[in-house]
Amino acid sequence: MKFIVHNNVLAFALVLICNKLCISSAFVAKQHSERTINTRLNSNSNGESDFSTPDMGDVGFVLLAGGTGSRMKAGMPKQYLPLRGVPVLHHSLDLFLEKLVDHCKSNNKGTSSPPENVVLVMDPLYQPEYQSIVDRYPGRLEFANPGVERQGSVENGLNKLVEMSKGKCQFVAIHDSARPLVTIEEICNVVVDAKEHGAAVLGVPCKATIKESEDGSFVARTIPRSKLWEVHTPQVIKIETLLKGFKKVAAENLEVTDDVSVVEALGEPVKLTRGEYTNLKITTPEDMDVAEAILEDRKSKPVNMLA
């Protein structure tokens, strides 16, 4: 679906996002915080952000870009499709390697160290096309090969992160490259929570009414919406905890649906960090239209990882 960007485009985009909420990424929580999160990066009169910027020198990022994107019905995986003139993946690379670094350096009077390590989990078929970008960030950006499933991709990326950081990274932030709209504020908030609690995940309260069905034909019950959250990425976890969780999952042949599920399997707490509804995952062609509208409304600067 195509539409013309105008002054009310963000409201229209949000309506589309809310209509696409589903239970695939929702989970039950005892309660959720009612604190308000702004939809933009705000600054005070001194030019510094209003939210807390943690030290990120011990936080490494694993960017997952190994998916096939079959639901996009395109000739290539969704992370390589153009969004505002560059591949979707480039928006996350630019955020972690440039914008977030600049933010850390300019806030807290330079006391917040920026992240130093990013692992790009990518199919070897596409790695030659991205070698020039990796070469621009020696020691900061490296490849890892994807696994058969998401868990294998995360584990491969984590092992590479531990290797390239030489043990300096204590936390890993795992992010889907198909989520190009996550904000610096969201990243800072979820890292702050992870450092306090050991693991944290971005999410938003589920707006849709969710029905449970045993056979796919009839409603069994309605799940109370107040207990459901749709989870996003990044998901930030203490590396020691995640490695321990991987061992338990493998030993007991457990099925996990996302990264913090590994932490849940250990019986460890996972903090819910209130995120933004605009942090959508690009899954269908219509999502690209919504993402374009949101970036236009934010007046985002052009991304050029090859400059």
Side-chain angles (χ1 to χ4, degrees):
M1 177 178 64
K2 300 292 183 181
F3 55 85
I4 300 174
V5 174
H6 51 81
N7 291 337
N8 294 322
V9 71
L10 183 58
F12 180 52
L14 288 174
V15 169
L16 291 179
I17 294 169
C18 292
N19 287 338
K20 292 178 68 58
L21 288 176
C22 62
I23 63 172
S24 62
S25 59
F27 63 88
V28 176
K30 290 184 179 179
Q31 61 182 3
H32 64 262
S33 168
E34 294 298 332
R35 69 187 179 90
T36 301
I37 294 295
N38 295 327
T39 58
R40 291 173 182 258
L41 179 67
N42 294 322
S43 298
N44 58 30
S45 58
N46 296 322
E48 295 185 346
S49 60
D50 290 336
F51 53 87
S52 176
T53 300
D55 190 299
M56 295 203 187
D58 62 350
V59 180
F61 287 80
V62 171
L63 183 56
L64 302 176
T68 60
S70 57
R71 281 176 285 183
M72 285 295 293
K73 299 179 181 179
M76 65 179 70
K78 56 196 171 188
Q79 59 268 28
Y80 305 118
L81 294 175
L83 177 61
R84 298 199 87 192
V86 299
V88 169
L89 168 61
H90 286 208
H91 292 268
S92 295
L93 286 172
D94 180 64
L95 178 61
F96 298 146
L97 293 166
E98 297 289 345
K99 291 186 174 68
L100 185 57
V101 172
D102 291 342
H103 171 80
C104 289
K105 290 180 178 178
S106 63
N107 279 270
N108 294 347
K109 298 180 180 179
T111 60
S112 297
S113 301
E116 298 180 6
N117 302 110
V118 178
V119 176
L120 178 57
V121 181
M122 175 178 282
D123 191 310
L125 178 66
Y126 294 95
Q127 289 181 12
E129 298 179 29
Y130 281 79
Q131 187 62 54
S132 61
I133 296 179
V134 172
D135 292 342
R136 286 187 60 197
Y137 300 94
R140 292 183 56 204
L141 178 63
E142 293 189 18
F143 290 122
N145 292 336
V148 177
E149 302 291 343
R150 177 193 174 91
Q151 181 184 331
S153 295
V154 172
E155 194 163 6
N156 290 348
L158 180 61
N159 289 335
K160 174 59 71 172
L161 177 64
V162 171
E163 175 189 324
M164 70 184 293
S165 71
K166 297 179 173 58
K168 182 178 180 180
C169 287
Q170 300 298 308
F171 291 84
V172 58
I174 303 157
H175 187 60
D176 290 329
S177 62
R179 291 189 185 272
L181 303 175
V182 66
T183 65
I184 289 177
E185 181 176 5
E186 288 179 287
I187 294 171
C188 289
N189 288 337
V190 73
V191 169
V192 167
D193 283 347
K195 288 196 170 190
E196 180 178 352
H197 301 281
V201 56
L202 281 175
V204 291
C206 192
K207 290 186 175 182
T209 297
I210 305 300
K211 303 287 186 181
E212 182 181 1
S213 174
E214 299 290 345
D215 57 8
S217 297
F218 294 92
V219 173
R221 69 186 180 104
T222 300
I223 302 175
R225 187 168 54 192
S226 62
K227 295 183 178 181
L228 294 176
W229 280 63
E230 179 188 350
V231 297
H232 299 166
T233 65
Q235 301 188 9
V236 187
I237 306 168
K238 192 172 184 178
I239 290 177
E240 180 183 4
T241 302
L242 188 55
L243 290 173
K244 182 180 177 182
F246 279 144
K247 290 181 180 179
K248 180 180 178 66
V249 168
E252 300 180 17
N253 195 28
L254 301 177
E255 182 179 350
V256 293
T257 56
D258 66 353
D259 312 309
V260 293
S261 294
V262 178
V263 181
E264 294 170 46
L266 291 172
E268 299 290 336
V270 177
K271 180 69 170 67
L272 282 166
T273 302
R274 178 72 176 259
E276 302 176 13
Y277 288 97
T278 51
N279 185 17
L280 80 162
K281 184 175 183 179
I282 293 179
T283 306
T284 66
E286 291 79 13
D287 294 331
M288 294 291 282
D289 295 319
V290 176
E292 289 270 4
I294 293 171
L295 289 172
E296 180 68 24
D297 181 81
R298 290 177 179 175
K299 295 179 171 54
S300 300
K301 294 181 179 179
V303 172
N304 188 357
M305 295 303 297
L306 299 174

